[in-house]
Amino acid sequence: MPIRLSSLFLRTLREDPAEAEVESHKLLLRAGYIRRAAPGVYTWLPLGLLVKAKVEAVVREEMNRAGAQEVFFPALLPREPFEATGRWTEYGDNLFRLQDRKKADYLLAPTHEEMFTLLVKDLYSSYKDLPVCLYQIQNKYRDEARPRAGLLRGREFVMKDAYSFDIDDAGLEKSYQSQRDAYERIFTRLGVDYVIVKADAGAMGGSASEEFLSPSPIGEDTFVRSPGGYAANVEAVKTVAPAGIAIEGLPAAVVHPSPNTPTIATLVDLANANVKRADGREWTAADTLKNVVLALTSPEGKRSLVVVGLPGDREVDAKRAEAAFSPNEVEPATEEDFERNPELVKGYIGPVKNGSAVLGLEGSSKIRYLLDPRVVDGTAWITGANEAEKHVFDLVKGRDFGADGIADIAEVRAGDPAPDGSGPLELARGIEIGHVFQLGRKYAEALGLQVLDENGKLVTVTMGSYGVGVTRMVAVLAEANRDDKGLIWPEAASPADVYIVAAGKDDHVYEAAEKLAAEFEAAGKTVMLDDRQKVSPGVKFSDAELIGVPHVVICGKGLENGEVDLWNRRSGERRSVALNSAVAELI
RNA sequence: CGGGAUGUGGCUCAACUUGGUAGAGCACCUGUUUUGGGUACAGGGGGUUGCAGGUUCAAAUCCUGUCAUCCCGACCA
């Protein structure tokens, strides 16, 4: 049966809802696909449900093709498994928690690693059972501090999550590749533009992690890419270290007074006013070495300080710092930290004082000192002299100071070179639509998932996790496929294959349209039919544009000549064809 | 959690500055009209103005508090 507009549960809106800011969100509301139920929580109307089902169908087909088997876990989970992996606490406020009538703790699952791991542990105990890959398409619940843009970041959302279980690393690698290939097929079939970026595996302990990002200005993730095809998450970018410079013949370090230079900008101004450079150019912020004091807190709660020296024209990137020092928490040092370490003279911190090391485990402060990769041997810097109102000039790395190691946590800027030499980096925004991840043994260890190997020995299983945001995909598709009139679905996601507009008031128009609808359905096409007799053609055309089925057939005036019009929603092209060839034209 | 904004029929907004019977468009109902680009006209139903308290003869409007929502940032396996 065709979906008839005369009875479809739908009310399109002429005006943009005030609650929506992002175009795709406005259109999904206006065209009657979704309604807001609570912040970040949405009701799916009939049209929206059809689109969601289409996306799910593509995901399901490709998962099955990749050999994964579908299961379905509850969204309502007991506390214990999450306690076992520490995530009952780790998840913090983002976890929806509740209690049953006996006051037992439950949660609404934000993700299902624990449950999948326990399920495999429950049923399997031999290497002969592996590898196995399971998936589900399920609601997830995360009490996000700030839901955004309708379906883009919701507190309830649908995700396909898959998990692979292998006996060894080689198996994991293979499972990972298989899922990665499936993802490429999924996004290609849905017509989504995507880039695969290297992500930082961080605390999860996995060896490989890649994100599928759909480039979009409304995206929440910043990533970098080069003309030569390099792409990575900002956290994962490795800074290219320049070649070292010969130290012989460099000018000696000299301490200059530098009153009232609490910031890099004031320091550069003073340097230009008082100290001439041998090569005649002006000093810039890039000539200064800024020493940033960070406080690290370990998972056990132990607090320690670390100083990172980086070129003065760069800021520390908080996300890169978190990733680099993971699993420690990172925050700027507080006043108390400075009070406890009187050798750190705020604004005048430097690696050495009067020629002997201050920073570093070997220095007088015993505080770990790490350097940006750009600070290579032979580079000369203006930096703090560890005395109020004094800076040292021409302090040379490898001659005058050293460090305990490297910290690659400075911000990445457009124009920085790609690590693989593929050209200058460009910064772009993207929406994360998929994530493939070699989890390793973290969850298997925490939950005791072991199997016997061929020698009868217990070994811990290694896992991969693979996610696709299904409801987010609907938003991404809407955002990427629209114009000022409305949505334009790609065929793989459209609520119907064909949209027939019956334009006219005579009954025979509606009869012909019904007959045409039946013919399309007989040919295996799904059909929406605007059979509203008392609605003017203008309204019908506007609704057709708003709803966004890509292929529209206008059944009306042309019938006098035995013709209907085929209207391509995307190109706007309309052409008349014989009524009895319309079906053949669109197949 | 920090910053900004907004709460008035189902939706989009006006009235608030300067207190005095709550209004328009869209949507909905009835009738006539119109049928290849949101027809036109007439009539109609629907709001204790987020909530609580205060000032006042009188509060959507002024004051205090509170709750909620949206946007930016922080956060986001």
Side-chain angles (χ1 to χ4, degrees):
Chain A
M1 291 284 280
I3 296 166
R4 292 190 173 80
L5 270 287
S6 60
S7 55
L8 178 64
F9 186 64
L10 173 74
R11 182 115 301 144
T12 56
L13 306 177
R14 210 182 268 222
E15 279 157 315
D16 284 336
E19 72 188 61
E21 201 78 7
V22 170
E23 289 305 321
S24 58
H25 186 201
K26 288 181 190 171
L27 288 172
L28 288 169
L29 286 164
R30 278 188 56 206
Y33 284 79
I34 56 171
R35 300 295 296 167
R36 199 192 73 113
V41 180
Y42 286 82
T43 304
W44 292 82
L45 302 183
L47 286 181
L49 209 48
L50 286 166
V51 172
K52 183 161 81 76
K54 293 283 278 280
V55 172
E56 287 175 359
V58 171
V59 170
R60 188 170 277 125
E61 279 175 32
E62 294 303 338
M63 280 299 110
N64 293 345
R65 180 175 305 180
Q69 301 175 61
E70 187 168 9
V71 296
F72 193 74
F73 282 98
L76 178 67
L77 300 178
R79 169 177 172 164
E80 287 71 27
F82 279 72
E83 195 68 71
T85 53
R87 294 211 291 185
W88 175 262
T89 311
E90 260 175 41
Y91 242 98
D93 287 340
N94 271 20
L95 198 59
F96 276 107
R97 299 158 205 265
L98 60 163
Q99 292 187 327
D100 68 7
R101 62 172 73 203
K102 295 182 228 159
K103 304 287 181 227
D105 286 320
Y106 281 80
L107 60 101
L108 294 177
T111 170
H112 282 84
E113 279 86 357
E114 284 84 353
M115 301 309 289
F116 275 90
T117 308
L118 288 171
L119 184 67
V120 173
K121 180 186 176 185
D122 186 15
L123 297 178
Y124 278 5
S125 45
S126 161
Y127 75 97
K128 292 179 194 163
D129 297 323
L130 302 183
V132 66
C133 187
L134 303 175
Y135 77 99
Q136 67 168 345
I137 297 174
Q138 236 287 8
N139 277 5
K140 305 290 183 203
Y141 297 85
R142 294 180 196 177
D143 192 1
E144 298 282 351
R146 193 156 88 81
R148 255 197 92 234
L151 301 176
L152 206 58
R153 175 170 293 279
R155 297 195 297 166
E156 176 188 81
F157 56 97
V158 176
M159 182 166 159
K160 185 287 297 177
D161 49 331
Y163 302 85
S164 64
F165 300 84
D166 281 278
I167 190 80
D168 55 23
D169 292 348
L172 170 57
E173 180 59 43
K174 214 172 143 194
S175 297
Y176 179 87
Q177 195 59 44
S178 160
Q179 282 287 316
R180 191 181 188 276
D181 292 345
Y183 276 33
E184 297 220 50
R185 293 195 299 271
I186 290 167
F187 300 134
T188 301
R189 279 180 65 180
L190 289 171
V192 198
D193 189 19
Y194 68 91
V195 295
I196 302 175
V197 304
K198 291 175 182 55
D200 187 87
M204 303 302 291
S207 53
S209 172
E210 289 170 294
E211 286 177 7
F212 289 72
L213 297 181
S214 183
S216 166
I218 65 163
E220 297 181 284
D221 297 316
T222 303
F223 69 101
V224 300
R225 56 180 165 187
S226 74
Y230 175 84
N233 232 332
V234 168
E235 293 95 300
V237 175
K238 296 254 182 303
T239 299
V240 180
I245 299 167
I247 289 168
E248 291 79 48
L250 293 174
V254 184
V255 174
H256 287 276
S258 56
N260 301 318
T261 55
T263 65
I264 294 291
T266 51
L267 175 62
V268 170
D269 288 347
L270 181 124
N272 279 317
N274 296 351
V275 184
K276 283 275 164 288
R277 284 178 58 97
D279 59 10
R281 78 165 169 85
E282 297 249 297
W283 298 103
T284 70
D287 296 314
T288 67
L289 182 66
K290 176 163 62 179
N291 295 292
V292 180
V293 186
L294 300 173
L296 306 184
T297 309
S298 73
E300 296 80 40
K302 208 172 137 237
R303 189 180 179 90
S304 61
L305 292 187
V306 59
V307 179
V308 177
L310 64 159
D313 60 335
R314 304 241 173 197
E315 298 298 329
V316 168
D317 182 311
K319 281 188 172 168
R320 281 166 62 74
E322 283 286 348
F325 292 116
S326 176
N328 298 286
E329 301 273 330
V330 184
E331 61 175 330
T334 60
E335 285 300 328
E336 287 177 8
D337 291 319
F338 280 100
E339 278 165 27
R340 274 199 293 271
N341 294 278
E343 278 196 83
L344 299 177
V345 187
K346 240 185 148 176
Y348 300 90
I349 299 168
V352 300
K353 179 177 183 178
N354 300 326
S356 58
V358 171
L359 297 177
L361 298 171
E362 305 293 317
S364 55
S365 72
K366 308 287 183 218
I367 297 173
R368 191 148 67 110
Y369 186 47
L370 303 173
L371 287 170
D372 184 270
R374 296 170 191 81
V375 185
V376 294
D377 283 356
T379 50
W381 303 91
I382 305 174
T383 191
N386 294 305
E387 268 184 90
E389 313 201 326
K390 282 189 182 163
H391 277 84
V392 57
F393 285 60
D394 286 314
L395 196 73
V396 172
K397 164 74 168 52
R399 180 189 70 184
D400 304 322
F401 72 102
D404 301 315
I406 288 172
D408 195 3
I409 62 169
E411 62 184 326
V412 176
R413 286 202 300 239
D416 287 350
D420 63 355
S422 60
L425 294 175
E426 156 196 45
L427 289 169
R429 300 268 267 180
I431 302 167
E432 185 183 342
I433 51 176
H435 195 167
V436 291
F437 194 169
Q438 295 189 16
L439 268 184
R441 297 182 174 83
K442 174 180 164 139
Y443 289 93
E445 261 162 24
L447 298 165
L449 171 57
Q450 295 183 310
V451 295
L452 290 172
D453 69 10
E454 56 249 28
N455 303 315
K457 258 177 54 188
L458 276 175
V459 291
T460 301
V461 169
T462 184
M463 294 168 55
S465 92
Y466 317 96
V468 172
V470 171
T471 46
R472 177 178 283 181
M473 179 66 60
V474 174
V476 167
L477 290 171
E479 185 64 27
N481 299 282
R482 61 183 166 81
D483 61 17
D484 57 342
K485 301 267 177 51
L487 299 160
I488 312 170
W489 294 107
E491 289 180 25
S494 177
D497 298 324
V498 184
Y499 189 105
I500 300 174
V501 176
K505 63 174 175 181
D506 295 335
D507 285 346
H508 77 265
V509 170
Y510 294 86
E511 287 156 14
E514 284 283 354
K515 194 158 160 272
L516 191 57
E519 285 169 20
F520 272 111
E521 293 203 322
K525 296 287 179 187
T526 56
V527 180
M528 283 180 73
L529 170 60
D530 194 344
D531 59 342
R532 296 174 295 179
Q533 292 217 23
K534 296 207 167 165
V535 172
S536 72
V539 172
K540 291 179 178 175
F541 292 144
S542 295
D543 279 344
E545 283 165 322
L546 189 57
I547 289 167
V549 174
H551 301 292
V552 181
V553 179
I554 304 168
C555 193
K557 248 177 16 188
L559 288 175
E560 294 164 19
N561 309 317
E563 289 180 337
V564 292
D565 291 351
L566 301 186
W567 180 16
N568 183 312
R569 170 71 181 93
R570 196 173 285 273
S571 68
E573 178 212 0
R574 279 189 197 181
R575 62 194 172 93
S576 297
V577 301
L579 174 58
N580 55 23
S581 67
V583 173
E585 290 274 354
L586 280 185
I587 286 177

